[in-house]
Amino acid sequence: MMNSSVFFQGMGLCASLIMAIGAQNAFVLRQGITRQYIFVAAITCVLCDFVLMAAGMLGMGKMLQMLPGLQAWMALGGALFVWWFGWGALQKAFRPQAMQLDTQTEQQQTTKSVILAALGFSLLNPHAILDTVVLVGGIGAQQAPANQPMFLLGAVSFSCLWFFSLAFGASKLAPLFARPLAWRILDGLIALMMGAIGLSLLRLSGFFPFLA
């Protein structure tokens, strides 16, 4: 029989990493507040976590540690991506017509665009990859072979619990965000967060030594 404690080890490790506010969480939070494609955003992030954690347990984490050049380019691409999203949030903060929870705003997004955005925040974000592939996957790979599936299940279970709770819990805040000021504050904070995350990714890339 598989040791159930391994399940909770995987869940606890994932919880300690995923609950930090980051680009992925900010994206899911905003989708929840706007009540747009909530399930699609959450399930895409969960599936990405599963794939990345499993890849880490299969040895991808070691490969990334052996290829610092690949990590550098991933960090640069991630910085550009989160800055692009942050620029969009900054524009929304100064554009009142984009702050209403109406059908026009809802039509601006499609299932495809939400999936692509979720994939970007999951697969183009070296911070998320470090957590899932290197840390969760690496620690999971150290478990006994018979316990690895249970460890992965525990980690993915918390990922599922977290993203769906965040997405559907945030939807309860929608009445508060019927006011334009609330949207200005949220989008302004998201823009600042994305700017800071992008800067940290540039430092991680090593392409700009003066930022170290």
Side-chain angles (χ1 to χ4, degrees):
M1 291 181 60
M2 294 183 181
N3 189 347
S4 61
S5 66
V6 176
F7 175 90
F8 293 105
Q9 288 177 22
M11 179 175 272
L13 177 61
C14 185
S16 67
L17 298 171
I18 201 173
M19 293 178 68
I21 298 299
Q24 202 179 28
N25 287 340
F27 166 72
V28 174
L29 179 67
R30 198 180 197 288
Q31 291 301 127
I33 292 174
T34 58
R35 295 176 177 172
Q36 298 182 59
Y37 302 99
I38 302 176
F39 179 83
V40 172
I43 195 62
T44 303
C45 290
V46 172
L47 291 176
C48 285
D49 276 3
F50 171 74
V51 171
L52 292 172
M53 291 173 188
M57 294 179 66
L58 293 174
M60 185 178 173
K62 292 183 179 179
M63 184 190 74
L64 289 175
Q65 290 177 331
M66 295 171 59
L67 297 173
L70 176 60
Q71 294 187 61
W73 284 105
M74 288 174 62
L76 180 60
L80 294 176
F81 180 80
V82 298
W83 275 347
W84 168 78
F85 188 84
W87 173 246
L90 186 62
Q91 288 180 307
K92 290 173 184 176
F94 290 97
R95 198 168 57 207
Q97 65 268 26
M99 299 175 192
Q100 302 301 322
L101 288 174
D102 55 21
T103 54
Q104 286 186 337
T105 302
E106 187 172 354
Q107 292 173 355
Q108 291 177 1
Q109 288 189 317
T110 64
T111 302
K112 180 180 179 180
S113 67
V114 172
I115 290 176
L116 289 176
L119 288 174
F121 284 116
S122 300
L123 304 179
L124 294 178
N125 184 353
H127 288 313
I129 291 177
L130 176 65
D131 288 346
T132 54
V133 176
V134 178
L135 296 179
V136 177
I139 293 175
Q142 297 174 27
Q143 301 289 328
N147 288 333
Q148 289 180 8
M150 185 64 81
F151 183 90
L152 178 61
L153 179 61
V156 173
S157 294
F158 187 83
S159 174
C160 184
L161 176 65
W162 172 256
F163 282 120
F164 277 94
S165 297
L166 184 65
F168 285 93
S171 66
K172 304 299 182 182
L173 299 175
L176 172 65
F177 284 86
R179 297 186 300 174
L181 178 61
W183 277 114
R184 286 185 184 274
I185 294 173
L186 176 66
D187 283 321
L189 290 174
I190 289 178
L192 289 174
M193 183 189 305
M194 296 302 165
I197 292 173
L199 183 60
S200 70
L201 290 175
L202 282 188
R203 290 173 177 165
L204 184 64
S205 73
F207 285 120
F208 305 93
F210 60 89
L211 292 176

